[in-house]
Amino acid sequence: MNATKIIIASVLAATLTACGSQKAAVSSAGGSPKTDVTSKNDDKARIDFLDKVNDNASYQKNISASITFKLTQGNGKEISVPGQLRMRKDQVIRLSLQVPILGTEVGRIEFAKNYVLFVDRMHKEYVKASYKDVGFLRDNGIDFYSLQALFWNKLLLPGKAIVGYTDLDKFSANISGSSQQIPVSLTSGKLTYTWTADRTTGLISKTRVDYSSQGHGTSSLTWDYSKFTNFGSKKFPYSNQLTIVTPATGKTKTMKASYEINTISTSSDWDATTTLSDKYKQVSVEEILGKLSNI
């Protein structure tokens, strides 16, 4: 498999491995009269902190960025290509990979609210399907909003487009002690989400998603965010590193990828929907997943 296809396949793997949209399973325990006051104070402090974290979400409708995408192969070799990341809130996430220097697009991965699209420009092939029609996505509860939360560096509540103030009580946050990094967590069926947020700023520096399968063990996706830079009135991570660990194929496999934002804007001068000519041939999802197994 050539470098371009390896990169395209790995980005797909990063989004397919561990993220979800099942309804959250949340429980609450009642306190005794003696601990009611303390419990209420702790709850208020927890909610205040979670509100700070949630308020860091970027408010821009459009994000258009030039990026450098890197993939680290199993042998330690690193492949780097230029690209573009375009996101329109609640509509689409599009990652475009390009030929170095020439800037010609060779691959495109597009996640919309109702479909996923993978385009191989070099061989004029594509896959387009609804989330429900793709068994791997459907069975793992993956939807557009879970992906959007990862790309936009914000909290995620499975099944909802946004996390509102009244939703914050569904999240756990261990604010006791003096640690600067506070773990925030949410469990949803077989999925466990853990965010690491700064006590002072509330900025999320890491998101980890663990998917527990009785048949295949536990797969994990870790997304590290850094180089936070002013973007409007908020800060946005210019450096993003993804690590996927999965035993699903019978042998534990680790994949690492990253992208650095070079320039960023709120430009809206681009179409939210990709249109392909008749020269492109639709191939099956199985063919795409088959390529993953050969990485």
Side-chain angles (χ1 to χ4, degrees):
M1 184 183 297
N2 60 41
T4 300
K5 285 201 171 184
I6 290 175
I7 290 176
I8 294 173
S10 295
V11 177
L12 174 58
T15 53
L16 295 184
T17 300
C19 45
S21 63
Q22 301 170 1
K23 292 184 179 179
V26 181
S27 62
S28 60
S32 65
K34 293 182 180 180
T35 61
D36 278 350
V37 174
T38 301
S39 178
K40 288 181 179 180
N41 289 337
D42 289 344
D43 281 346
K44 184 180 185 305
R46 176 176 62 87
I47 295 299
D48 287 346
F49 174 72
L50 290 169
D51 189 38
K52 182 193 302 183
V53 175
N54 198 41
D55 190 53
N56 280 324
S58 179
Y59 64 85
Q60 278 85 358
K61 176 70 175 179
N62 293 278
I63 291 180
S64 183
S66 66
I67 64 172
T68 299
F69 187 90
K70 296 180 180 180
L71 170 70
T72 302
Q73 295 178 266
N75 58 8
K77 183 179 179 180
E78 187 176 85
I79 301 172
S80 177
V81 296
Q84 285 189 335
L85 176 63
R86 285 177 170 169
M87 302 189 288
R88 185 161 293 164
K89 187 172 291 184
D90 299 332
Q91 291 188 47
V92 68
I93 301 165
R94 180 183 299 149
L95 180 63
S96 170
L97 303 178
Q98 304 168 341
V99 176
I101 302 177
L102 297 178
T104 304
E105 183 179 79
V106 292
R108 175 176 294 196
I109 301 173
E110 183 170 288
F111 299 97
K113 291 176 68 174
N114 301 316
Y115 68 84
V116 292
L117 174 69
F118 310 101
V119 182
D120 179 353
R121 296 287 191 190
M122 295 178 66
H123 300 90
K124 289 185 167 48
E125 296 177 344
Y126 74 96
V127 173
K128 184 175 183 179
S130 70
Y131 291 85
K132 291 182 180 179
D133 290 337
V134 182
F136 197 96
L137 296 172
R138 181 189 63 245
D139 296 342
N140 289 281
I142 297 172
D143 73 352
F144 170 79
Y145 292 110
S146 56
L147 298 175
Q148 180 169 262
L150 288 169
F151 276 94
W152 286 70
N153 181 235
K154 63 180 184 178
L155 293 177
L156 159 68
L157 185 60
K160 297 194 68 173
I162 61 172
V163 176
Y165 182 82
T166 57
D167 297 317
L168 297 178
D169 195 45
K170 296 179 174 67
F171 296 83
S172 297
N174 184 7
I175 60 173
S176 61
S178 57
S179 175
Q180 189 64 24
Q181 301 301 313
I182 307 297
V184 176
S185 62
L186 176 72
T187 298
S188 173
K190 297 179 180 180
L191 290 152
T192 300
Y193 303 85
T194 305
W195 297 267
T196 301
D198 185 89
R199 180 185 293 272
T200 303
T201 65
L203 290 173
I204 297 172
S205 61
K206 178 183 294 187
T207 299
R208 180 183 172 106
V209 187
D210 292 296
Y211 174 74
S212 179
S213 168
Q214 186 174 358
H216 301 293
T218 299
S219 298
S220 67
L221 164 63
T222 302
W223 195 308
D224 290 283
Y225 308 90
S226 60
K227 295 184 181 179
F228 284 88
T229 305
N230 290 333
F231 185 47
S233 63
K234 309 291 184 179
K235 289 184 178 293
F236 200 76
Y238 273 38
S239 180
N240 296 257
Q241 297 185 13
L242 296 74
T243 302
I244 308 101
V245 180
T246 176
T249 58
K251 181 180 179 180
T252 300
K253 181 179 293 187
T254 300
M255 291 172 282
K256 295 183 179 181
S258 66
Y259 64 88
E260 297 271 343
I261 291 178
N262 303 315
T263 61
I264 192 170
S265 74
T266 58
S267 172
S268 60
D269 188 22
W270 51 276
D271 292 330
T273 304
T274 294
T275 302
L276 298 173
S277 72
D278 294 337
K279 295 180 179 180
Y280 283 81
K281 173 187 176 183
Q282 179 156 5
V283 297
S284 68
V285 176
E286 287 71 21
E287 288 183 59
I288 294 293
L289 295 179
K291 293 174 183 178
L292 294 179
S293 64
N294 294 322
I295 295 176

